[in-house]
Amino acid sequence: MNIIIANDHGAVDLKTGLVKALRAKGHTVENLGVDSADSVDYPDIARLAADRFLAGGFDFGILCCGTGIGISMAANKIHGIRCAQVFDLFTAEMSKAHNDANFIAFGGRIVYAIPVIDMVEKFMSAAYEAGRHARRVGKIDAMR
Ligand code: RB5
């Protein structure tokens, strides 16, 4: 898959690990995040990644900040972005199956019960069910 990834200073290690793991599995990953501990503002990172994604050519994106909260809040302000904070395999699957998320978000300062790469892979292997969910996702997309 063609994946975009971006992060602030709160998730450099998480991002680096995900990029390495995804590339090792043969995926193409464009890294728009920061690679140092120097402080940056997560809304700027979300904007950068969202604009790049909306320009086309990517299957989905991954956003990471300290908690995954701020960067997903910012991303969801941008029309056309549906960013889901994922916590486990169930939310990873449902975010695609029911919500057709085009971004998933994680926190570099969160201690997850399972490896983040497992959640990313669950998201990638899930399929959007459309049907009744298409009406609801359409209502999200109609919001301004
Ligand atoms: C940055 O210190 C931190 O606030 C940010 O990474 C994120 O956790 C915000 O939601």
Side-chain angles (χ1 to χ4, degrees):
M1 287 194 180
N2 202 6
I3 302 161
I4 195 164
I5 192 165
N7 63 287
D8 75 358
H9 56 284
V12 175
D13 290 348
L14 173 60
K15 183 278 302 289
T16 302
L18 287 174
V19 169
K20 190 175 173 189
L22 289 165
R23 286 181 178 157
K25 292 170 187 292
H27 300 290
T28 300
V29 185
E30 184 165 329
N31 173 22
L32 289 179
V34 298
D35 293 298
S36 85
D38 296 345
S39 184
V40 294
D41 294 339
Y42 57 80
D44 300 332
I45 304 293
R47 175 99 248 177
L48 184 70
D51 287 348
R52 185 82 180 88
F53 177 82
L54 292 170
F58 294 92
D59 293 295
F60 75 101
I62 302 170
L63 293 173
C64 305
C65 65
T67 58
I69 297 170
I71 202 160
S72 58
M73 290 172 79
N76 280 318
K77 296 285 285 184
I78 299 167
H79 188 72
I81 301 301
R82 293 181 302 280
C83 181
Q85 264 195 281
V86 167
F87 295 99
D88 51 24
L89 294 179
F90 179 70
T91 53
E93 183 175 6
M94 288 301 107
S95 64
K96 172 68 79 57
H98 287 190
N99 310 116
D100 197 23
N102 48 24
F103 273 86
I104 49 177
F106 299 97
R109 296 170 183 157
I110 293 178
V111 179
Y112 291 103
I114 58 171
V116 172
I117 187 65
D118 291 357
M119 296 184 259
V120 173
E121 291 197 299
K122 175 61 83 172
F123 175 82
M124 287 194 287
S125 67
Y128 177 44
E129 293 176 11
R132 69 185 187 280
H133 304 295
R135 183 181 69 250
R136 296 158 182 165
V137 171
K139 288 184 177 182
I140 293 174
D141 286 343
M143 288 175 170
R144 295 280 180 177

